[in-house]
């Protein structure tokens, strides 16, 4: 058996079966036997140039050649084993996402244990139940992922990965809202040459059969639309921060190429056409620089009223004023800022209000949120009570407004895209 024949036989594609493995090993052993036979009779080979001199007569040279042959055989065996146990197809690795995409979805994340020691804190028993539950599990950051979309962002650059990734906070039961958003401002599309992609962020709701039914609903949605990220934690107002941190970790691993991100609720009206125009007009419009815009809140104090949805005890925040932040109804930020917030969040304890927490992370990084006059997180202010608050002329030029029902979003999106819409005679002061 010649060396060239051996090389050709080993270059054939090897399927991942045990039988094939044994067949190849058998071929390798046959080659080894023949190789040894050659060396066994090497002493009988005469050099044609030197009379009566045996080739490699000395025992040392023979042992050296036999050792070399053994080393070659061991190397071939190792290479063969590695080749057999390697996946048949590998994509070119261009990001962390490509490395982890081949791995199955992790469903066995250990459950985080309740921290019972917080019950010993003074005044703990006087806190609302929701706040007590938050404090019991405040330290938990790892939860099983139930649904994901690993192919949401594509590689390489400019092959379809998002210019803007819309990340919309939604509860499992809000099917109608998600359905309308997919048909309106959150529709995945190529807008003015830039891709808009969408993911809905959610946890789980209820127990028993209710939880099972809602999980099946989300699974059906994700099978059809491929736009849901779901983790196995209780979907609640106080867990919005957890939802945001888990998303940022997902983004770093599965969508690292998105230039910009939008974070918003599923009851907002977002003019994503205008978002693209605004971001394209930035000097640094590839997401590599800091950008964080929305409705800026500079002097917002923690609410100490225990009956309020926004109640924050001094145990969580002792300061009399929050760090500057943008209202959580909706804000835009860059890839650079998203990565920075994720990094800062590793050393900042979770707090219940997600937009405030984002501001804390920005402050720790020495970055500032910025105000945008087109973002109305608390709702659009109409000049007169006599005017229709849903007149499309008031929404054609903005970026975002809050608190809409699904049917209102559906109608308004259609209205602002009417070709015959004429707002020239109306005085719109936004």
């Amino acid at each position: 058996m010649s060396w060239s024949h051996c090389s050709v036989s080993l270059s054939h594609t090897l399927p991942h079966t045990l039988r094939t493995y044994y067949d190849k090993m058998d071929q390798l052993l046959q080659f080894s036997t023949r190789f040894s036979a050659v060396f066994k009779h090497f002493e009988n080979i005469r050099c044609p140039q030197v009379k009566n001199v045996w080739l490699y007569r000395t025992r040392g040279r023979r042992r050296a050649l036999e050792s070399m042959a053994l080393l070659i055989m061991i190397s071939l065996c190792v290479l063969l084993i590695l080749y057999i146990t390697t996946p048949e197809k590998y994509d070119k690795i261009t990001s962390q996402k490509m490395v982890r995409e081949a791995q199955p979805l992790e469903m066995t994340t250990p459950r985080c244990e309740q921290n019972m020691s917080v019950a010993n804190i003074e005044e703990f028993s006087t806190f609302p139940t929701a706040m007590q539950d938050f404090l019991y599990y405040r330290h938990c950051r790892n939860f099983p992922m139930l649904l994901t979309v690993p192919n949401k962002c594509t590689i390489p650059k400019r092959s379809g990965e998002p210019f803007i990734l819309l990340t919309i906070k939604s509860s499992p039961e809000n099917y109608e809202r998600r359905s309308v958003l997919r048909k309106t401002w959150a529709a995945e599309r190529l807008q003015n040459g830039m891709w808009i992609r969408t993911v809905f962020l959610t946890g789980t709701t209820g127990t028993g059969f209710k939880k099972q039914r809602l999980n099946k609903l989300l699974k059906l949605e994700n099978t059809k639309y491929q736009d849901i990220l779901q983790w196995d934690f209780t979907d609640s107002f106080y867990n919005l921060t957890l939802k945001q941190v888990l998303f940022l970790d997902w983004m770093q691993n599965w969508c690292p190429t998105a230039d910009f991100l939008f974070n918003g609720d599923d009851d907002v009206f977002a003019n994503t056409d205008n978002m693209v125009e605004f971001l394209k007009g930035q000097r640094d419009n590839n997401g590599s620089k800091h950008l964080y815009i929305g409705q800026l809140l500079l002097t917002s104090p923690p609410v100490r009223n225990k009956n309020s949805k926004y109640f924050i005890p001094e145990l969580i925040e002792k300061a009399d004023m929050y760090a500057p932040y943008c209202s959580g109804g909706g804000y835009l930020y860059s890839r650079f800022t998203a990565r920075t917030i994720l990094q800062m969040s590793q050393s900042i304890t979770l707090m219940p209000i997600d937009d405030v927490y984002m501001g804390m992370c920005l402050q720790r990084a020495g970055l500032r949120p910025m105000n945008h006059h087109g973002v109305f997180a608390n709702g659009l202010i109409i000049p007169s009570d006599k005017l229709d608050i849903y007149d499309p002329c008031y929404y054609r030029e903005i970026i975002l407004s809050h608190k809409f029902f699904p049917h209102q979003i559906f109608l308004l999106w259609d209205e602002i895209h009417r070709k015959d819409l004429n707002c020239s005679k109306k005085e719109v002061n936004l």
Side-chain angles (χ1 to χ4, degrees):
M1 185 176 186
S2 66
W3 280 103
S4 61
H5 181 72
C6 174
S7 177
V8 171
S9 64
L10 290 176
S11 66
H12 291 166
T13 302
L14 300 179
H16 296 276
T17 62
L18 191 59
R19 178 178 296 179
T20 303
Y21 172 75
Y22 285 134
D23 290 344
K24 293 300 179 183
M25 289 303 297
D26 184 63
Q27 293 178 19
L28 204 56
L29 288 174
Q30 292 180 20
F31 171 73
S32 174
T33 303
R34 296 185 183 183
F35 199 89
S36 299
V38 171
F39 278 93
K40 183 176 181 180
H41 297 286
F42 232 103
E43 292 180 335
N44 298 326
I45 302 175
R46 294 177 179 271
C47 178
Q49 303 297 328
V50 184
K51 187 177 182 179
N52 296 326
V53 177
W54 298 99
L55 182 65
Y56 301 117
R57 188 179 184 86
T58 63
R59 232 179 247 182
R61 290 185 179 179
R62 178 182 175 183
R63 288 178 179 174
L65 288 171
E66 288 179 343
S67 298
M68 183 176 67
L70 181 61
L71 181 61
I72 292 173
M73 292 301 301
I74 293 174
S75 300
L76 288 173
C77 288
V78 171
L79 290 173
L80 181 61
I81 292 171
L82 290 174
Y83 189 79
I84 290 173
T85 58
T86 300
E88 293 179 355
K89 295 182 179 179
Y90 273 112
D91 293 325
K92 182 178 179 181
I93 296 176
T94 56
S95 72
Q96 272 190 299
K97 169 233 175 193
M98 299 298 289
V99 177
R100 295 179 59 175
E101 187 169 326
Q103 299 177 3
L105 185 63
E106 182 59 55
M107 304 295 287
T108 58
T109 304
R111 287 238 172 239
C112 185
E113 296 296 329
Q114 188 179 29
N115 179 16
M116 297 301 297
S117 64
V118 296
N120 299 325
I121 298 173
E122 187 177 358
E123 292 189 325
F124 179 84
S125 60
T126 67
F127 292 160
T129 302
M131 178 58 69
Q132 291 181 357
D133 290 340
F134 171 80
L135 291 171
Y136 276 133
Y137 296 98
R138 188 184 187 187
H139 60 289
C140 302
R141 294 198 181 206
N142 297 312
F143 292 85
M145 194 165 197
L146 304 179
L147 296 172
T148 187
V149 280
N151 298 316
K152 178 59 63 174
C153 304
T154 56
I155 304 291
K157 190 74 172 172
R158 288 185 292 277
S159 65
E161 81 286 358
F163 177 64
I164 303 179
L165 178 64
L166 307 177
T167 60
I168 305 167
K169 296 168 287 187
S170 184
S171 295
E173 63 270 21
N174 292 354
Y175 170 78
E176 186 180 1
R177 293 184 184 180
R178 292 189 294 273
S179 181
V180 168
L181 295 190
R182 291 185 183 110
K183 299 173 184 176
T184 57
W185 61 263
E188 296 195 332
R189 64 194 187 276
L190 192 63
Q191 176 66 32
N192 198 8
M194 299 296 181
W195 275 105
I196 297 176
R197 303 288 189 191
T198 303
V199 289
F200 292 95
L201 313 181
T202 187
T204 62
T205 298
T207 58
F209 294 125
K210 179 181 178 181
K211 180 177 179 179
Q212 292 176 20
R213 285 193 299 269
L214 288 173
N215 285 354
K216 286 180 180 179
L217 170 64
L218 291 170
K219 186 175 181 180
L220 284 172
E221 286 185 69
N222 201 44
T223 299
K224 184 174 182 179
Y225 300 107
Q226 287 293 293
D227 61 3
I228 293 179
L229 304 179
Q230 184 189 24
W231 293 268
D232 193 10
F233 66 84
T234 301
D235 196 293
S236 65
F237 174 75
Y238 281 171
N239 277 340
L240 288 177
T241 305
L242 174 63
K243 183 182 291 188
Q244 183 64 26
V245 170
L246 289 172
F247 162 73
L248 289 174
D249 183 68
W250 178 91
M251 181 214 70
Q252 172 134 319
N253 292 305
W254 297 94
C255 193
T257 58
D259 293 328
F260 297 96
L261 301 102
F262 168 76
N263 184 298
D265 297 336
D266 60 5
D267 63 346
V268 304
F269 179 83
N271 194 328
T272 42
D273 298 350
N274 289 343
M275 286 185 193
V276 171
E277 294 305 311
F278 168 75
L279 293 172
K280 285 185 66 176
Q282 299 300 298
R283 177 181 299 177
D284 300 303
N285 61 6
N286 62 357
S288 62
K289 304 296 182 181
H290 168 59
L291 183 137
Y292 194 97
I293 66 162
Q295 181 174 315
L296 183 62
L297 299 172
L298 290 174
T299 56
S300 182
V303 176
R304 305 302 187 189
N305 182 359
K306 295 177 183 178
N307 296 321
S308 171
K309 173 183 178 181
Y310 302 97
F311 166 64
I312 296 295
E314 292 187 7
L315 171 66
I316 292 178
E317 180 56 68
K318 294 182 180 180
D320 295 330
M321 205 71 65
Y322 288 133
Y325 68 95
C326 290
S327 177
Y331 48 83
L332 282 166
Y333 57 118
S334 67
R335 177 180 65 250
F336 169 83
T337 304
R339 291 176 177 174
T340 303
I341 291 173
L342 176 62
Q343 183 180 1
M344 295 300 104
S345 71
Q346 307 305 314
S347 59
I348 301 178
T349 307
L350 297 182
M351 69 104 58
I353 305 177
D354 60 323
D355 47 9
V356 171
Y357 184 79
M358 299 287 275
M360 294 168 61
C361 292
L362 288 173
Q363 186 179 64
R364 177 72 62 86
L367 302 176
R368 291 186 61 85
M370 295 166 283
N371 188 64
H372 191 285
H373 67 277
V375 177
F376 298 86
N378 295 325
L380 189 61
I381 300 175
I382 303 301
S384 171
D385 294 338
K386 297 180 180 180
L387 298 175
D388 181 8
I389 61 173
Y390 297 110
D391 190 316
C393 289
Y394 297 122
Y395 296 89
R396 191 176 61 170
E397 304 300 327
I398 70 169
I399 286 183
L400 178 140
S401 185
H402 204 179
K403 301 297 182 183
F404 288 82
F405 291 108
H407 71 276
Q408 295 170 334
I409 294 175
F410 187 77
L411 178 60
L412 189 54
W413 183 255
D414 180 74
E415 288 285 301
I416 67 170
H417 288 91
R418 277 174 39 203
K419 293 183 179 181
D420 61 343
L421 180 63
N422 185 3
C423 299
S424 59
K425 295 182 180 181
K426 297 184 179 181
E427 294 182 2
V428 181
N429 184 16
L430 301 179

